[in-house]
Amino acid sequence: MSTHLVLVINCGSSSLKFSLMDPQSGVSELDGEAERLCSDTAQVCFEYQGDKSCTALTGTLLTGKADHQAAVNAIVERIHELNLAESIDCVGHRVVHGGEHYSDPVRITPEVKAAIVDLAKLAPLHNTAHAIGIEATQAAFPHLPQVAVFDTAFHQTMPDYVYLYGLPYKLYREHGIRRYGFHGTSHDFVSRRAAGLLGKPREKIQLITAHLGSGCSVAAVAYGKCVDTSMGLTPQEGLMMGTRSGDVDPTLVFHLVEQLGYELADVKTLLTEQSGLLGISELSNDCRELEAAAVEGNKQATLALEVFCYRIARNIAAVSVGLTQLDALVFTGGIGENSAYIREKVVGHLAILHLALDIEKNQDCCIGKEGEGAERRISTKNAPACLVIPTNEEWVIAEQAEALVQASS
Ligand code: ADP
């Protein structure tokens, strides 16, 4: 076992994923997830040397709640039980919103913590949870350096004519209202791996990366730098997602409120939690379930998947204007890595970019078949490459946190 491990913490609004990882190899010694935080059914699950175990999470003495603090307490306890604490070099925190301040990972100082809290105005659920996770981990490991790795950082290379909205400039100048982009660590990771797979330096290739999970975004990456992406001020813009609408006409909000009598808070819930695959199918936000229902003949499930795929293709075509050539389209995320059906439909809409799949190779990537999880090319010989590359955001966070700490010690 490596004696240089990084504790990676990823706090969501009601979950906390973590991994104790060797940043060199990407191998995790201990990992797991706390789910349904602050509810009666909160639990924490661990995986250690192939064994998985879950236990109910009990409330903290201070708040009585099974919250993020309780999750960190349970994880720290497990780390000590397994005598792994001595091997930890530093802690890397995934932080969703870094605004314009951060285009690289940073050591967490009181100023950085204050900036993360301040940016909660742009990502209320996420940045608030990150701040709690940081406090709790600092209290548990006061001697360890802590690093923030931002989802927005990779997109900070977008030019101003790409990131500005067609709104009064003072909204940008005074309030930072602009497009930021998210899933940056994933787009960064798979674009690096794609270069390896293509056997070319990243500085010589132009890619579009499609991260398709419960949240979805695409990015145009030219010579290793992001030049456009589909998400904007918040992770709501762009592609349709599991429960998020993606792009809609913004005046829809007025229509719902003024004509249909919605409360503003209900519009927010509708756009973020009741739309997307779930909204159209009226069945599920889970792509796998919808594919199964479509096979059974469920027309709304089929329609939801068709809208989803068309919108992915439309956004891929849109960000392609940031490139001068396309060396590869990369699929990643739970859907991008596992769904041959979605990949085939998306690429089917992209003849304009001369993309074409090798149908058999595309199917080979499906879960349960040989080569599961592997990085591979699924396009025909003469077309631009289409690649499947499993993402590993934890590994990027571990690598970047370790590199920063080593460089400054
Ligand atoms: P998160 O953003 O929560 O990390 P994931 O990247 O794990 O999400 O992606 C979750 C999505 O991946 C779900 O919609 C799930 O149905 C889908 N998915 C996972 N495996 C498959 C599969 N074999 N076929 C189709 N979709 C799949």
Side-chain angles (χ1 to χ4, degrees):
M1 190 197 79
S2 167
T3 49
H4 294 284
L5 298 176
V6 178
L7 175 60
V8 178
I9 299 279
N10 178 356
C11 283
S13 49
S14 63
S15 69
L16 189 161
K17 291 184 193 163
F18 77 97
S19 177
L20 197 51
M21 180 177 275
D22 177 348
Q24 301 292 327
S25 64
V27 171
S28 186
E29 290 296 330
L30 168 73
D31 58 30
E33 182 171 13
E35 297 172 296
R36 302 190 291 274
L37 295 175
C38 297
S39 80
D40 294 343
T41 56
Q43 64 167 7
V44 59
C45 298
F46 296 99
E47 183 164 357
Y48 178 64
Q49 297 187 339
D51 282 340
K52 281 187 190 171
S53 59
C54 296
T55 46
L57 202 57
T58 47
T60 61
L61 286 177
L62 197 63
T63 63
K65 282 192 195 157
D67 52 15
H68 289 85
Q69 175 71 60
V72 171
N73 293 350
I75 293 162
V76 170
E77 197 180 307
R78 195 70 208 263
I79 288 172
H80 284 299
E81 272 169 21
L82 296 168
N83 289 322
L84 292 169
E86 292 294 303
S87 306
I88 306 177
D89 279 354
C90 60
V91 184
H93 293 269
R94 175 198 178 211
V95 178
V96 162
H97 222 306
E100 285 195 317
H101 305 288
Y102 302 111
S103 50
D104 289 301
V106 283
R107 277 284 274 269
I108 298 177
T109 59
E111 293 73 33
V112 170
K113 223 167 16 176
I116 292 170
V117 171
D118 183 48
L119 285 162
K121 62 190 174 215
L122 295 176
L125 294 180
H126 284 103
N127 272 36
T128 310
H130 302 322
I132 298 168
I134 290 168
E135 289 276 344
T137 331
Q138 282 182 326
F141 298 111
H143 60 292
L144 288 181
Q146 314 245 346
V147 174
V149 178
F150 300 93
D151 258 28
T152 45
F154 182 60
H155 304 298
Q156 279 295 301
T157 47
M158 290 193 293
D160 51 5
Y161 59 83
V162 172
Y163 68 66
L164 279 180
Y165 288 113
L167 291 170
Y169 191 72
K170 76 171 199 176
L171 286 177
Y172 167 63
R173 192 175 48 229
E174 292 173 16
H175 303 287
I177 293 180
R178 50 158 281 185
R179 305 179 61 245
Y180 288 97
F182 298 87
H183 296 138
T185 45
S186 179
H187 291 292
D188 184 15
F189 178 78
V190 298
S191 60
R192 272 194 278 156
R193 303 293 299 186
L197 203 58
L198 295 173
K200 293 183 180 162
R202 190 157 85 134
E203 296 67 35
K204 294 244 162 89
I205 57 171
Q206 302 191 58
L207 306 167
I208 293 176
T209 48
H211 177 103
L212 310 175
S214 40
C216 302
S217 66
V218 297
V221 184
Y223 314 120
K225 294 197 177 350
C226 176
V227 291
D228 198 355
T229 191
S230 57
M231 282 179 164
L233 177 72
T234 73
Q236 173 72 13
E237 192 176 328
L239 277 56
M240 185 176 111
M241 310 178 208
T243 59
R244 283 173 252 171
S245 63
D247 290 337
V248 290
D249 181 337
T251 58
L252 166 75
V253 178
F254 306 114
H255 186 80
L256 291 172
V257 171
E258 291 165 4
Q259 307 297 324
L260 302 182
Y262 275 70
E263 295 294 330
L264 215 48
D266 296 336
V267 175
K268 192 174 183 182
T269 308
L270 178 133
L271 291 173
T272 56
E273 294 173 27
Q274 300 168 344
S275 294
L277 290 172
L278 173 67
I280 297 180
S281 69
E282 297 183 314
L283 180 67
S284 171
N285 63 342
D286 188 292
C287 185
R288 220 172 338 187
E289 278 184 36
L290 294 182
E291 284 185 34
V295 170
E296 301 275 299
N298 183 316
K299 289 209 165 57
Q300 260 176 265
T302 309
L303 182 61
L305 294 171
E306 277 175 359
V307 176
F308 181 61
C309 292
Y310 182 76
R311 284 175 167 252
I312 296 167
R314 191 173 193 250
N315 275 275
I316 287 172
V319 298
S320 73
V321 298
L323 306 178
T324 54
Q325 67 174 54
L326 181 62
D327 293 296
L329 168 64
V330 184
F331 287 100
T332 193
I335 299 172
E337 290 161 31
N338 298 307
S339 176
Y341 175 93
I342 298 292
R343 292 192 300 258
E344 187 178 334
K345 277 208 169 293
V346 170
V347 173
H349 289 302
L350 289 169
I352 187 80
L353 297 178
H354 309 292
L355 293 166
L357 287 189
D358 179 316
I359 299 301
E360 262 182 37
K361 284 190 184 155
N362 184 39
Q363 292 288 344
D364 273 354
C365 279
C366 302
I367 238 161
K369 297 239 172 119
E370 199 188 338
E372 174 190 331
E375 298 175 348
R376 61 173 65 198
R377 183 178 175 135
I378 55 168
S379 41
T380 55
K381 251 201 182 126
N382 298 322
C386 285
L387 308 175
V388 175
I389 300 188
T391 195
N392 193 335
E393 288 157 289
E394 288 77 20
W395 193 6
V396 180
I397 295 169
E399 272 182 334
Q400 294 190 344
E402 177 81 355
L404 185 75
V405 169
Q406 292 300 337
S408 56
S409 62

